């Protein structure tokens, strides 16, 4: 599309464009908006600059006339014969900050807007944000604020605040795309920003050959989290089999449980039914642990039992290249409105009826956090760590290959489940980004996400692992943050749901206190400021050379009595929302006695950090045996904030 | 200084400036270098723009004439009476990329050059680097390459490569500053960069009222690391006293050791001398642990004994406000050419004669790493961790208040000491930045630095802790990186000296393998690429569904036999320089047996990562008891790279 066709389209779509005029090849250049840029327009010339077909900063009619003459000569020198249909376009040169707006049709997220600093700096600084075409105003603002250039729009150094103009521009672009669903790629580059507004100066639009089909509306699903009658298909007495661990963990279920194994017999005192026909009951939920070749058949026989939910632990589907069986799973789910988790997963846990259908840890604490993970190994590690640190869950879901239920479905269901108060998600790749974003938008609970596969090298590894697209990390992070997700940088941070803004540090060492302060600030959390009353209270119980500042350095010779007194003081400070107890091994430090203090009831959450090695071992072991969280490096201690 | 004075100064100093002319108030504007900027020049007008005293983009003589007339009118409207001495300056408008160069006189580093992207983006993107005025070409290049804008100078997207022009510009600026040591602050802003070169378009220079005194040349010191006769002043039998721990640790010394305590008696079977007069020997080195009020007196009495090196462990000097005693310490060191470490420090260790004069861990392994720390607590934590993980040291130095020897002195001495092959430094604040940089420049050994006090909040904490300036972190990091230091982000990374570029990962879990890959790439290290022969070798011993890629995913059901076979294969791959053994707790994982493999002799360094909690405890304990490093989170495992 040449500019004289493009400009009317942009104008009609609500964009501001610079004044322009089109002239036939020999038409007099009558222009009243100098300075201008003059460009050749001819279907024979794609790259105008290459043939000298662009002249900039033309200040008056004489210059324009000369520029045209020279341009025709230059083009002639390139052996291009201009015809009477060709012509020139003159556009007003607009001064201002060069911005960029674009649209890509991402394989995961669909049509997404990119917006940020333009020109050569676009590539150098990559100061762009990502905005979904369905993003509301808040979401647009959150995305814009991740860019540094947005400070200009918010009135940086006396600039006129104009965020609403930028938002309106983005909304115009959203409308434009929604009325052109066949846009494959679009560059509005540059967009010039000045106090009068945003001007689209140049544009390039690529269309799909065919209009993509609209996404299917998501299926109305049964509630997954209401499991009263459960069957374990493949319960096994062989402790090396997954079917053993799942059946064993399932025994704590407070609803009705049926164990099934074609060979019959018994399992830890419970009947092993050799066939589903033997069970004279409906089955809400089944977990399947048998070899993959029998899975589809098992599902067929579960359907007459009224099964609604299936957890397919069995591996051997898409991840080893068998996409056909996996497609049949999806089709069955569609056809019979089943909720299927897996295949190739670690299982499922819900706290409400103490239902542990995983082959992970058997010691799961009840809590209010739902943990979803795409990797069974990540999940089993986190479950193991959580059990050691006394962290509890409302739900644990191993998503596996996501043949049917994907993250969007799971988040949607968790949104409506009162037992779950926060959601943590480990993701490698996702399929339908638009549905994922929409599920998060509708979810009223805090969500944390760790995304693996940030580097190209890792994406290669992830692909060989799951077969899902792993995507562009900055886009993933940007879009998720714009819908309010907290992106975390360590796996372990998924085990914590709360953020803290008024942290107190009690320590016997100034240096490490400084480092922890740095870490807290880097993570975007805040340190509590001691007020005069706080300082008075601490003065009364601490040696005179304490820091009189937070971090509260209670001095290297502090023993458990002083730690206790300081802890009591800080626990009483109304606005402190969390306490780090940062202990270094100094000559007289009785670390073991200090950590015993954590067994007492305190009002605030207290996280001990034991900095050192052998001298800290006994105390560390005490905390682990009493299922208390404990950190051994400052970095780790700050990573969950 | 007005522009018509500044320009000749810049020109004469070797900078390129745009063509310019100065005109008296009513002189005809004869200019042959349009387009121009026209500006008023009058000592009465400081902020020209505020009174309409600047006109840009003037294209010809008519416009220039009109601009001058309008400018005079505008200034008159501001009630400023122009006098015949006032005038105009016309400067050619130069097109190009807007850069910034500046000089600050930093309280720590002295005169330092800042260079980077200019204009409003300077503040938004802070894409600047820091260059010492004594930096050589390599150092300048290293600094420049930390900026994103430098890609433009290296030929980004078809730009003309021109790094040497930029370096020459920096060198011109270095010369300019060295011939103007009284510059307090200087902004060359903007510097316009285009294919013709770099043009300083505007400049502002502030001078010190008085020319700062040149820095003292460093004293020629005795070698600290040659200690044959050592005295412990304040050796004590009271196990709660520092003098006990120091004396106890000192007993392993293979040279001559004297223990001194005014009360006399004996210590663990050794004589306690009640006075130095009782000792009929010279003393090379003394460690002092007595209360601060007796320290100066003790030093006076050591001087007749020929003492050269002093380690003052005693606290109670500058850190509690007693700057007077601390100054007397410095004066004594100057006067008698003593090397003093401390006061307020944890002590000193050197491997060569097994000399442990610390009150930290008594179990220090010999090695080739020198560890210097400004915080005793950080040092004792790291020593404790090192002893647990079997990491050894050539020297350990607790710098304390640095009344005499500072980091520069210590690094200079370590440079010449063959036992030390690498240096790790924990710094809170430094005094003489120029000497510090120079010591690092001359040191042929790899140096790692962790800097505490990055955030303003932490700097407040650090200040109350040490009394040293904590400085601006980006400048500190930039300057240190330009002299080749590796800045690390965790304390624990100080325990490792080597970097790795060809890492292999052996794991029983794809997801965590992906995360570790991300971590390695983020840290700037590299993953080894398996070649065909490697893949063949692994094919022969692994199940068919292994990843055939590094991370080498040997599949979730791997037991120690398969781990061992994979480890053997990888240990034989010539170009692998390090192996991570990433173990997750899966149903059949015999972690305890797997970690036993690490007791065998392997060619490559192997670092195990045990991801999980309770299920990993036994294996973790085994590794700790056998003094092997071990990580429990992926993040921690990657942090030392």
């Amino acid at each position: 599309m040449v500019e004289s066709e493009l400009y009317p389209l942009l104008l009609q779509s609500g964009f501001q464009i610079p004044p322009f005029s089109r002239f036939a090849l020999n038409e007099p250049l009558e222009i009243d908006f100098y300075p201008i840029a003059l460009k050749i327009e001819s279907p024979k010339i794609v790259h105008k600059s290459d043939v000298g077909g662009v002249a900039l900063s033309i200040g008056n009619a004489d210059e324009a006339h000369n520029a045209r003459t020279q341009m025709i000569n230059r083009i002639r020198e390139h052996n291009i014969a201009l015809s009477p249909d060709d012509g020139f376009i003159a556009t007003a040169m607009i001064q201002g900050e060069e911005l960029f707006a674009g649209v890509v049709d991402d394989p995961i997220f669909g049509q997404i807007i990119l917006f940020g600093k333009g020109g050569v700096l676009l590539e150098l600084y990559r100061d762009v944000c990502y905005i979904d075409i369905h993003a509301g105003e808040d979401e647009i603002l959150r995305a814009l604020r991740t860019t540094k250039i947005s400070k200009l729009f918010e009135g940086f150094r006396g600039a006129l605040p104009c965020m609403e103009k930028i938002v309106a521009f983005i909304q115009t672009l959203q409308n434009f795309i929604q009325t052109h669903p066949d846009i494959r790629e679009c560059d509005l580059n540059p967009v010039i920003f000045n106090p009068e507004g945003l001007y689209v100066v140049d544009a390039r639009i690529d269309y799909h050959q065919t209009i993509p089909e609209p996404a299917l509306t998501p299926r109305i699903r049964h509630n997954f989290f209401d499991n009263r009658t459960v069957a374990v298909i493949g319960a096994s007495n062989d402790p090396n089999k997954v079917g053993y661990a799942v059946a064993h963990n399932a025994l704590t279920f407070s609803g009705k449980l049926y164990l099934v194994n074609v060979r019959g017999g018994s399992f830890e005192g419970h009947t092993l039914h050799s066939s589903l026909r033997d069970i004279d009951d409906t089955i809400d939920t089944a977990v399947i642990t048998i070899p993959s070749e029998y899975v589809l058949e098992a599902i067929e026989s579960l359907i007459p039992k009224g099964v609604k939910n299936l957890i397919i632990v069995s591996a051997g589907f898409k991840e080893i290249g068998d996409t056909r069986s996996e497609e049949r799973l999806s089709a069955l789910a569609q056809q019979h409105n089943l909720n299927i988790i897996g295949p190739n997963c670690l299982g499922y846990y819900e706290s409400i009826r103490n239902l542990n259908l995983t082959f992970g840890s058997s010691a799961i604490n009840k809590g209010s956090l739902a943990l979803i993970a795409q990797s069974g190994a990540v999940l089993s590690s986190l479950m193991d760590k959580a059990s050691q640190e006394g962290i509890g869950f409302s739900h644990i879901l191993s998503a596996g290959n996501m043949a049917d239920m994907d993250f969007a479905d799971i988040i949607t269901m968790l949104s409506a489940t009162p037992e779950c108060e926060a959601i943590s998600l480990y993701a490698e790749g996702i399929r339908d980004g638009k549905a994922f974003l929409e599920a998060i938008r509708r979810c009223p609970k805090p969500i944390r996400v760790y995304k693996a596969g940030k580097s190209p090298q890792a994406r290669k590894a992830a692909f060989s692992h799951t077969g899902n697209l792993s995507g562009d990390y900055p886009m993933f992070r940007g879009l998720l943050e714009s819908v309010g997700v907290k992106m975390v940088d360590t796996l372990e941070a998924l085990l914590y749901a709360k953020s803290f803004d008024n942290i107190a540090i009690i320590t016997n060492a100034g240096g490490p206190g400084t480092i922890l302060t740095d870490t807290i600030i880097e993570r975007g959390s805040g340190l509590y400021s001691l007020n005069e009353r706080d300082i008075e209270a601490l003065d009364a119980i601490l040696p005179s050379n304490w820091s009189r500042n937070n971090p509260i350095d209670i001095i290297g010779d502090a023993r458990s009595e002083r730690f206790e007194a300081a802890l009591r003081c800080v626990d009483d400070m109304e606005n402190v929302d969390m306490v780090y107890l940062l202990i270094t091994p100094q000559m007289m430090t009785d670390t073991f006695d200090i950590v015993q203090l954590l067994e007492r009831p305190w009002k605030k959450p207290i996280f001990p950090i034991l900095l050192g090695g052998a001298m800290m071992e006994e105390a560390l072991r005490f905390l682990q045996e009493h299922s208390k969280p404990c950190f051994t490096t400052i970095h780790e201690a700050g990573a969950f904030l």
Side-chain angles (χ1 to χ4, degrees), chain A:
Chain A
M1 212 184 278
V2 294
E3 268 158 311
S4 56
E5 293 163 345
L6 202 59
Y7 278 177
L9 171 67
L10 292 170
L11 207 53
Q12 166 202 337
S13 305
F15 293 103
Q16 252 186 121
I17 56 165
F20 74 98
S21 287
R22 212 253 180 201
F23 301 96
L25 209 54
N26 295 307
E27 194 181 341
L29 300 175
E30 279 174 20
I31 297 163
D32 53 6
F33 46 76
Y34 289 103
I36 58 153
L38 190 72
K39 301 179 200 171
I40 187 73
E41 276 208 343
S42 163
K44 290 185 279 296
I45 300 171
V46 179
H47 297 291
K48 298 169 193 170
S49 308
D50 293 357
V51 296
V54 178
L56 300 175
S57 299
I58 297 169
N60 53 47
D62 280 358
E63 284 179 37
H65 184 78
N66 292 341
R68 179 171 66 175
T69 310
Q70 288 167 14
M71 200 177 285
I72 291 174
N73 290 339
R74 282 196 301 264
I75 292 169
R76 222 171 259 153
E77 284 165 21
H78 281 87
N79 294 321
I80 300 167
L82 294 170
S83 58
D85 291 351
D86 299 331
F88 294 95
I89 185 161
T91 54
M93 298 272 293
I94 307 268
Q95 297 296 319
E97 193 66 38
E98 215 173 326
L99 304 178
F100 165 86
V103 179
V104 291
D105 192 3
D106 183 73
I108 293 169
F109 287 102
Q111 288 175 317
I112 294 294
I113 294 170
L114 279 75
F115 181 81
K117 177 68 188 135
V120 66
L121 300 178
L122 168 65
E123 310 257 346
L124 283 181
Y125 293 119
R126 303 200 144 273
D127 185 30
V128 290
C129 64
Y130 304 88
I131 304 169
D132 184 29
I133 55 166
H134 301 122
E137 192 176 326
D138 279 1
E139 202 173 316
I140 295 173
L141 278 170
R142 228 180 277 137
L144 287 171
R145 288 193 179 119
T146 62
T147 66
K148 291 181 177 151
I149 195 76
S150 71
K151 287 193 196 153
L152 267 193
F153 316 141
E154 301 204 274
F156 178 73
R157 301 199 87 196
L160 212 65
C162 63
M163 253 329 205
E164 67 286 358
K165 273 189 195 167
I166 308 286
V167 172
F169 174 84
I170 300 289
Q171 287 169 335
T172 305
L173 185 51
Q174 287 179 318
N175 289 334
F176 177 62
I177 301 160
Q178 277 171 26
T179 50
H180 295 81
D182 53 343
I183 289 181
R184 204 178 58 78
E185 214 175 282
C186 161
D187 280 1
L188 309 184
N189 187 19
V191 175
I192 300 291
F193 160 71
N194 67 28
E196 274 85 55
L198 288 98
Y199 295 85
V200 180
V201 172
D202 204 351
R204 190 183 58 75
I205 305 178
D206 267 12
Y207 294 92
H208 282 289
Q209 301 285 329
T210 54
I211 297 179
E213 282 176 39
L216 294 171
T217 24
R219 182 147 58 90
I220 307 298
R221 290 176 177 275
H222 307 291
N223 178 8
F224 192 94
F225 307 126
D226 185 26
N227 301 294
R228 291 156 198 269
T229 328
V230 170
V232 178
I233 313 296
S236 165
N237 279 300
D238 177 350
N240 287 322
K241 289 209 167 153
V242 163
Y244 167 81
V246 173
H248 175 79
N249 287 342
L251 294 180
T252 57
F253 180 42
S254 66
K256 271 196 279 183
L257 180 70
Y258 298 100
L259 304 179
V260 180
N261 186 311
V262 280
R263 293 204 198 92
S266 72
F267 180 90
E268 300 187 9
H270 300 259
T271 308
L272 278 179
H273 300 272
S274 62
S275 160
L276 285 167
R277 273 162 308 199
D278 298 354
I279 301 168
D280 185 21
D281 199 349
T282 57
I283 292 170
D284 295 333
T285 301
V287 55
I288 300 182
T289 69
I290 55 181
S292 55
E293 56 266 41
Y294 307 117
V295 168
L296 290 162
E297 192 182 322
I299 297 174
E300 303 274 9
S301 63
L302 277 159
I303 288 164
K305 292 282 176 192
V307 75
K308 296 186 196 76
N309 301 326
L310 286 166
I311 298 112
I312 305 179
V313 168
S314 318
F317 290 84
K318 188 175 65 175
E319 83 281 5
I320 61 156
D322 186 359
T323 48
R324 211 175 133 261
S325 300
E326 188 134 335
E327 278 160 17
R328 284 195 55 204
L329 273 185
S330 313
L332 274 175
Q334 285 282 348
Q335 194 182 341
H336 300 283
N337 199 13
L338 302 172
N339 293 320
I340 298 185
I341 287 187
N344 182 29
C345 79
L346 191 84
Y348 169 71
Y349 163 83
E350 71 181 35
S351 62
I352 182 165
R353 288 189 187 84
N354 216 5
L355 178 60
N356 181 352
L357 298 180
T358 76
F359 63 98
S361 172
S362 58
I364 305 178
N365 296 302
K366 285 194 187 198
S368 57
L369 175 66
L371 179 63
I372 314 165
Q374 206 173 351
S375 151
V378 166
L379 195 55
S380 63
S381 297
L382 288 176
M383 285 166 71
D384 194 24
K385 191 164 194 88
S387 119
Q388 190 178 49
E389 301 196 349
I391 294 165
F393 299 100
S394 64
H395 303 81
I396 296 176
L397 287 124
S398 173
N401 294 0
M402 303 196 291
D404 175 47
M405 281 180 80
D406 65 11
F407 296 139
D409 299 312
I410 296 172
I411 289 171
T412 301
M413 286 197 182
L414 287 169
S415 297
T417 303
E419 287 78 20
C420 159
E421 290 174 12
I423 300 171
S424 278
L425 169 66
Y426 166 83
E428 289 177 355
I430 55 170
R431 275 187 320 217
D432 181 351
K434 285 262 188 284
F436 184 50
L437 292 176
E438 188 56 26
I440 294 171
R441 271 185 206 117
R442 288 163 184 263
C443 178
K445 299 167 187 181
I447 301 179
R448 290 185 169 208
V449 173
Y450 184 99
K451 170 75 168 70
K454 296 169 189 167
S455 56
Q457 292 89 330
R459 278 207 289 282
K460 196 175 154 198
F463 191 80
S464 81
H465 177 56
T466 66
N468 270 312
L469 279 168
S470 221
D472 172 51
Y473 185 67
M475 181 187 284
F476 188 97
R477 184 174 190 114
L479 288 171
L480 263 67
E481 285 180 341
S482 75
V483 290
V485 164
K486 179 169 182 115
M487 295 296 294
V488 296
D489 299 320
T490 68
L491 275 185
E492 294 73 22
L494 291 176
L495 294 178
Y496 298 86
K498 263 198 86 166
S499 297
F500 300 97
D501 292 319
N502 281 296
I503 299 172
I505 302 172
I506 300 177
T507 182
N508 63 346
T514 307
I515 302 171
L516 181 55
T517 301
D518 278 336
T519 308
I520 290 168
I521 302 301
E522 272 165 22
R523 301 292 315 160
S525 290
L527 232 62
Y528 174 72
S529 281
L530 298 181
N531 60 36
E532 271 182 42
R533 228 181 41 202
D534 299 334
I535 292 179
E536 253 172 55
L538 287 163
D539 271 340
I541 52 141
L542 293 179
S544 62
N545 56 339
W546 78 278
S547 59
R548 299 175 68 87
N549 184 24
N550 181 20
I552 301 164
D553 180 354
I554 63 173
I555 310 303
D557 60 355
R559 295 178 58 84
S560 56
E561 297 76 22
R562 199 186 294 161
F563 269 99
E564 183 183 351
L567 207 45
R568 274 185 200 287
C569 256
V570 172
D571 200 43
D572 282 338
M573 294 175 190
E574 203 177 334
N575 292 320
V576 167
D577 58 8
M578 188 261 265
V579 185
Y580 278 121
L581 212 59
L582 173 58
I583 311 169
T584 62
Q586 311 219 18
M587 256 193 67
M588 41 278 291
T589 317
D590 50 346
T591 312
F592 190 72
D593 292 335
I594 299 168
V595 299
Q596 310 266 331
L597 297 171
L598 298 175
E599 280 289 88
R600 312 245 186 103
W602 299 99
K603 282 173 280 197
K604 323 278 187 198
I606 302 171
F607 292 98
I609 309 171
L610 307 185
L611 220 58
M615 290 161 83
M616 293 300 182
E617 245 175 55
E618 193 193 5
L620 181 61
R621 206 157 302 156
F622 172 86
L623 289 169
Q624 288 173 346
E625 277 161 12
H626 290 75
S627 298
K628 300 274 178 202
C630 179
F631 302 104
T632 56
T633 71
I634 292 173
H635 201 273
E636 195 194 336
F640 79 88
L641 291 176

